[in-house]
Amino acid sequence: VYGYEGYYEISSQGNVRSLERIIKLKKGTRKLPAKIIKPRINNCGYEEVRLSKYGLLYTKFVHVLLGEAFISNPLGKPEINHLNGLKTDNRINNLEWCTHAENMQHAYANKLIKHVTKKIIDNCTGAEFESTKEAAKVYNIKLNTLRCYLNGGIKTNPTCLKYAA
């Protein structure tokens, strides 16, 4: 495992194993046997393992460990994408290095993320808009400012715009 050489190794199937080693304790030493580390599924659906080094515990994604160990990254892209959209399918031929933008484009193109918009209504004119972005453009208001008006972040809303019911 990259950054954990001599501590852990990973197979091309995504099995992470701690290596046999001797650790120092306050009162002597202890021999740790080699063992397979069982991954867990996190709240977002990705497999992760906990790795220890110098007495500190780190949580690492299995797909990232696989990418670092087995997938070339000549352009230095920072993220790993699951090509088929299944977060637990960590086969090497299902993983690729990508930028965050490429990862998001892939997710939207494959309907892995649904683009949810709230309709906006102008209570003064009755005009309706499909999204906050559309209303901001028509009224020449910065998008984040309009969101603050609508969500109550700015208490005085000088517009008649509200989220449609």
Side-chain angles (χ1 to χ4, degrees):
V1 173
Y2 178 75
Y4 293 86
E5 295 83 354
Y7 292 85
Y8 299 93
E9 60 187 10
I10 187 165
S11 73
S12 59
Q13 283 75 44
N15 296 316
V16 179
R17 181 173 77 145
S18 65
L19 299 176
E20 184 177 294
R21 62 187 185 270
I22 296 174
I23 60 169
K24 292 180 183 180
L25 302 171
K26 288 181 181 178
K27 296 182 179 181
T29 60
R30 179 176 169 204
K31 183 178 180 182
L32 293 179
K35 68 176 186 175
I36 298 290
I37 299 173
K38 184 179 177 187
R40 70 178 194 111
I41 308 295
N42 72 4
N43 293 345
C44 297
Y46 292 99
E47 284 188 346
E48 61 185 21
V49 291
R50 298 207 178 185
L51 307 180
S52 176
K53 187 174 177 183
Y54 305 126
L56 299 173
L57 201 61
Y58 300 91
T59 302
K60 301 290 183 177
F61 292 118
V62 172
H63 63 281
V64 174
L65 297 176
L66 279 164
E68 290 171 344
F70 297 103
I71 301 172
S72 174
N73 188 10
L75 300 177
K77 294 185 177 185
E79 294 185 13
I80 290 283
N81 180 33
H82 289 86
L83 295 170
N84 67 3
L86 299 176
K87 297 174 182 180
T88 56
D89 184 356
N90 292 320
R91 293 173 294 130
I92 292 172
N93 63 354
N94 184 48
L95 303 175
E96 68 174 354
W97 285 103
C98 63
T99 64
H100 182 68
E102 290 167 341
N103 211 351
M104 291 297 99
Q105 288 168 356
H106 177 266
Y108 281 110
N110 291 284
K111 299 191 184 344
L112 302 173
I113 297 176
K114 294 178 182 171
H115 191 70
V116 179
T117 59
K118 294 181 183 177
K119 293 189 179 197
I120 306 296
I121 189 163
D122 184 332
N123 285 335
C124 296
T125 66
E128 294 184 14
F129 304 94
E130 291 297 314
S131 67
T132 309
K133 187 175 183 179
E134 181 185 346
K137 187 174 181 180
V138 168
Y139 288 94
N140 197 25
I141 301 171
K142 289 183 179 178
L143 179 59
N144 285 339
T145 302
L146 180 55
R147 283 184 181 143
C148 285
Y149 290 154
L150 296 170
N151 294 324
I154 298 175
K155 298 296 178 194
T156 54
N157 183 349
T159 70
C160 295
L161 300 173
K162 303 283 182 214
Y163 286 120

